[in-house]
Amino acid sequence: MGRIRKVVFPIAGLGTRMLPATKVLPKEMLPVVDKPVVQYAVEEAAAAGCELFVFVTGRGKALIEDHFDRAFELFETLRRKQREEDLGELERAIPAAGSLVYTRQQAPLGLGHAVWCARHIVGDEPFAVVLVDDLIHARVPCLKQLVDAHAETGANIVAVMEVPKEHTDRYGIVVPGRERGRLVEIEGFVEKPKPEEAPSRLAVVGRYVLSGRIFELLAKTKPGSGGEIQLTDAMAALLEEQPFFGLRFEGRRFDCGDRLGYLEAVIAFALERPELAAGLHAALRRFL
Ligand code: G1P
C-alpha cells in the first residue's frame, strides 16, 4: 500500500460560530496558546509523513498563506537581536519550498465540494483530509494513527469517537459493523442525523485517509444535509466498493470552531507547556 503523501485542508468555511473574532481573521488563525490552529494541523500532517499540503481556501484567507511564508523583516530583526530560538521556531513552522498548494473553493457548496476542488492536485492516489477546526491532542499524532491503520489494512480510514446522543446532529454518524481492536468496520454513514434517527453514537471527526476514487464519487454526489455536497455521502458510496474502517483514535478532540471547545483547547494545550502550567493552575484555582 502506497504512502500518504498529500493532505487536503478544506479551510474555506466562514467561522460564523466565532464572530466577531472571525469577521476579518480567518478562524484557522485563532491562536491556541501562541500558535494558530492551522499550524497544529500542518505539524500533525507533517508528523504523519505528508509532504504536499493542499489548502482549499476561500475569500479572506490570504493571511494563512502569509503565515506559512518567510517574513523577511521579522526574521532579519530577530537575527540582529540574536533571538536564535524564536527564529528557529519560526523557520521550523514553514514547510519546504514548493510543498504548499492553494486552490479556492469559489462557492460555499459544502465539505464534499471543497475536497473535490483538490482533485487535480491530488490525482488518483490515497490521500489525507484534515479538518483544521478539530484540534486533537494525542501522544501519537491522530493522522499518524490513521496512516498506520491504512498501511496495515489498505483500507479507507476515518477517525471516530463516541458523542452524546443529543449531539448526533452535529456529525457524520457511522453504522458500525464488526470491531477489530481499535478499528470498526463501517457499514454506512449518515450526515447529521437527529438523535432519534441516529444509527449509533459513533461520530466521524475531522481526520480521513481516502482513496482517490472518492473524487469520481464526489463529482456525482447530489446536495444532501443542509443543501450541501457532503463528503459523508460520497464516503457512503465509496464503502460499497472498498473496505472502510473507523479508527477509535487515542487522544482528545477539541472543536475549535466553537467557543467552549476553543477555550478548552487553549487551557488543555497551555497546561502541557512547562513554562505556563504552574501559573495557569494557580490562576484557574483563583477563578473557581
Ligand atoms: C463536518 C463533517 C461531519 C464531521 C464533522 C467533524 O461537519 O461534515 O461529517 O462529523 O465535520 O467535525 P461540519 O463540522 O463541517 O459541519
Side-chain angles (χ1 to χ4, degrees), residues 111 131 134 170-172 191-192 204-206 208 230 232 253:
L111 177 61
L131 305 188
D134 281 338
R170 300 181 187 178
Y171 299 94
E191 180 68 8
K192 304 199 168 80
V204 175
V205 301
Y208 311 74
Q230 296 292 350
T232 305
R253 173 253 187 188

Side-chain angles (χ1 to χ4, degrees), residues 45-58:
C50 296
E51 291 166 353
L52 191 75
F53 305 89
V54 182
F55 294 84
V56 180
T57 73

Side-chain angles (χ1 to χ4, degrees), residues 175-241:
V175 183
R178 271 188 315 176
E179 305 255 348
R180 212 172 91 189
R182 289 189 161 270
L183 292 174
V184 191
E185 255 173 53
I186 299 184
E187 294 180 350
F189 287 106
V190 191
E191 180 68 8
K192 304 199 168 80
K194 294 195 196 100
E196 59 277 15
E197 286 160 13
S200 74
R201 294 197 295 117
L202 207 52
V204 175
V205 301
R207 302 289 182 279
Y208 311 74
V209 172
L210 299 170
S211 95
R213 170 78 177 133
I214 196 79
F215 294 117
E216 286 158 3
L217 297 168
L218 279 168
K220 291 190 263 178
T221 302
K222 301 268 177 309
S225 162
E228 298 187 336
I229 296 170
Q230 296 292 350
L231 181 57
T232 305
D233 293 341
M235 295 196 306
L238 185 58
L239 69 76
E240 300 292 331
E241 302 178 3

Side-chain angles (χ1 to χ4, degrees), residues 41-119:
V42 167
E43 287 174 3
E44 182 181 329
C50 296
E51 291 166 353
L52 191 75
F53 305 89
V54 182
F55 294 84
V56 180
T57 73
R59 285 167 54 79
K61 300 283 179 169
L63 273 182
I64 295 169
E65 290 186 47
D66 290 343
H67 181 72
F68 290 112
D69 195 5
R70 291 222 148 62
F72 181 75
E73 306 84 337
L74 175 65
F75 282 31
E76 263 317 296
T77 308
L78 291 175
R79 198 163 288 132
R80 249 198 339 270
K81 297 190 169 168
Q82 295 182 324
R83 289 178 50 182
E84 303 299 335
E85 210 172 298
D86 291 332
L87 196 57
E89 203 155 306
L90 290 178
E91 289 276 6
R92 280 191 295 280
I94 302 175
S99 63
L100 296 156
V101 181
Y102 300 90
T103 189
R104 277 200 187 199
Q105 184 185 24
Q106 295 144 325
L109 299 179
L111 177 61
H113 177 261
V115 171
W116 178 76
C117 288
R119 66 199 179 283

Side-chain angles (χ1 to χ4, degrees), residues 252-283:
R252 249 183 98 184
R253 173 253 187 188
F254 302 93
D255 179 3
C256 286
D258 169 80
R259 292 184 176 89
L260 192 57
Y262 172 72
L263 288 172
E264 275 185 47
V266 172
I267 293 171
F269 278 78
L271 288 173
E272 287 285 307
R273 297 268 291 258
E275 75 282 16
L276 298 174
L280 182 57
H281 258 288

